[in-house]
Amino acid sequence: MPALEFFFDIVSPYSYLASTRVHALAASAGVDVRWRPFFLGGVMKATGNQPPASLPARAPYMLRDLQRWAARGGVPFRFPSRFPVSTLSAQRALVGLEGAALEGAARGLFQAYWAEDRAIDDPAVIADVIGVDAAAEATTAEAKAALRTATDEAVARGAFGAPSFFVGDELFFGNDRLEWAVEAAAQVRA
Amino acid sequence: MPALEFFFDIVSPYSYLASTRVHALAASAGVDVRWRPFFLGGVMKATGNQPPASLPARAPYMLRDLQRWAARGGVPFRFPSRFPVSTLSAQRALVGLEGAALEGAARGLFQAYWAEDRAIDDPAVIADVIGVDAAAEATTAEAKAALRTATDEAVARGAFGAPSFFVGDELFFGNDRLEWAVEAAAQVRA
């Protein structure tokens, strides 16, 4: 099956929205999704990018835009009382997982932060959401190195924010471009 | 008819893309479009925003994204050899026009810059595209004041970039949100 890589960070609200749509869109196009945890803070630092909400004039609009998206898609959404928070532990825990375990853990953490306002920077909360064993992996040197490697890889391939979708060398940025990314992945097979 | 306000600047590539779609989308929804020239440089200065292409890591992606849009929509597109250029004269000329004259002049200038790589910061080119009389208006104190007023108005209403669509108090930012803006305008009538 052709593959779509989905680089995401739990702290990114548009990654959350994309996470609620990617499975159905890819499945209907016969495309396989590879969930790729990376560290958005590292991407921002490497590229000099700034989160859109850091512009005071843009922050209220972004909230409105997210609420509109969520309402249209029937997606549970509640802007967290603390934003942004560090996702280093969460992303390190995720980067050690694969396949269905990774997808399930990522969905759990997205929901905890973006629908339930839980403290996903708290190791106890992470353990509660994804399990004690998976959460414990976050503290290993391997997880630390793996997250850095994934982040560096995304930046080297052209990523500057999240979500970033790759189809081979082709980058598609943002929840708004998920459809195009799925189409491009489907065409690789053709 | 319910109205959609379309704030644009000729220098903005996503405003150009929106300009090629707004008429058909609005007409099919029974929505009237008010073309609103403003000065994007003034919006950026007032809000502290930066053009997306000013981030080195983002510039090549933006070009690719624009090319994809143009190819999908069958829109003539050729990235200008000089970008950005000052649109003060062009926007001042446009702000004095109304209705079909404004729309026609704006379309002419968009095409001159984004399809034909013409120097739309040159008064002679502006005059060639929109006519000598309309172009001459750009040098008046009235045009200068009117463009500043329109720009200040957009910022006061929450705009931070281009294109910006307004339906009453509701802002929709970017070519990607044109459909939502048209829908919202159509619902005002309902």
Side-chain angles (χ1 to χ4, degrees):
Chain A
M1 285 228 290
L4 169 71
E5 291 174 87
F6 168 33
F7 281 88
F8 67 94
D9 186 315
I10 303 295
V11 80
S12 152
Y14 290 103
S15 294
Y16 166 59
L17 295 180
S19 78
T20 68
R21 313 193 302 131
V22 66
H23 181 82
L25 283 168
S28 69
V31 166
D32 194 34
V33 180
R34 283 188 63 202
W35 292 57
R36 301 287 316 265
F38 71 167
F39 184 53
L40 183 56
V43 174
M44 293 299 192
K45 190 172 174 186
T47 60
N49 200 359
Q50 299 283 336
S54 63
L55 189 77
R58 189 163 189 159
Y61 174 77
M62 195 181 93
L63 177 59
R64 190 84 187 86
D65 189 59
L66 291 165
Q67 289 168 334
R68 285 177 184 147
W69 250 106
R72 294 172 73 98
V75 176
F77 183 81
R78 180 170 142 199
F79 203 86
S81 50
R82 289 186 304 124
F83 174 83
V85 293
S86 171
T87 50
L88 259 184
S89 294
Q91 297 300 108
R92 284 176 181 165
L94 291 173
V95 84
L97 301 172
E98 288 185 345
L102 167 57
E103 184 173 336
R107 288 188 189 284
L109 288 169
F110 272 130
Q111 182 174 320
Y113 192 51
W114 289 106
E116 298 165 5
D117 195 14
R118 297 185 70 185
I120 55 145
D121 53 345
D122 179 349
V125 170
I126 297 172
D128 186 52
V129 174
I130 72 173
V132 172
D133 292 348
E137 290 296 315
T139 60
T140 66
E142 287 75 12
K144 191 172 174 178
L147 187 63
R148 187 177 296 142
T149 298
T151 303
D152 290 349
E153 177 200 323
V155 170
R157 293 169 73 184
F160 52 83
S164 287
F165 306 100
F166 282 97
V167 178
D169 291 341
E170 288 283 312
L171 167 65
F172 297 83
F173 171 65
N175 178 44
D176 285 323
R177 290 293 178 272
L178 175 54
E179 283 83 356
W180 292 12
V182 170
E183 272 181 47
Q187 283 166 6
V188 169
R189 180 190 35 193
Chain B
M1 285 227 293
L4 170 70
E5 292 173 86
F6 169 32
F7 282 87
F8 67 94
D9 186 315
I10 302 296
V11 80
S12 153
Y14 291 102
S15 294
Y16 166 59
L17 294 180
S19 78
T20 68
R21 313 193 302 131
V22 66
H23 180 82
L25 284 169
S28 70
V31 166
D32 194 34
V33 180
R34 284 187 63 201
W35 292 57
R36 300 287 315 265
F38 71 166
F39 184 54
L40 182 56
V43 173
M44 294 298 193
K45 190 172 176 187
T47 60
N49 200 359
Q50 298 283 335
S54 64
L55 189 77
R58 189 164 190 159
Y61 174 77
M62 194 181 96
L63 177 58
R64 189 85 187 86
D65 189 60
L66 291 164
Q67 289 169 333
R68 286 177 183 145
W69 249 107
R72 294 172 73 97
V75 176
F77 182 80
R78 180 170 143 197
F79 203 85
S81 50
R82 290 187 302 124
F83 174 83
V85 293
S86 171
T87 49
L88 259 183
S89 293
Q91 298 299 109
R92 283 176 182 165
L94 290 173
V95 83
L97 300 173
E98 287 185 345
L102 167 58
E103 183 173 338
R107 288 188 189 283
L109 288 169
F110 271 129
Q111 182 174 320
Y113 192 51
W114 289 107
E116 299 166 3
D117 194 15
R118 298 186 70 185
I120 53 144
D121 53 344
D122 178 347
V125 171
I126 297 172
D128 185 52
V129 174
I130 72 174
V132 173
D133 291 349
E137 289 297 314
T139 61
T140 65
E142 288 75 11
K144 192 173 174 179
L147 186 62
R148 185 177 296 143
T149 298
T151 304
D152 290 348
E153 177 200 324
V155 170
R157 292 169 73 184
F160 51 84
S164 287
F165 306 100
F166 283 96
V167 179
D169 291 340
E170 289 283 314
L171 167 64
F172 297 83
F173 171 65
N175 179 43
D176 285 323
R177 290 293 178 272
L178 175 53
E179 283 82 356
W180 291 12
V182 170
E183 272 181 47
Q187 283 167 6
V188 168
R189 179 191 35 195

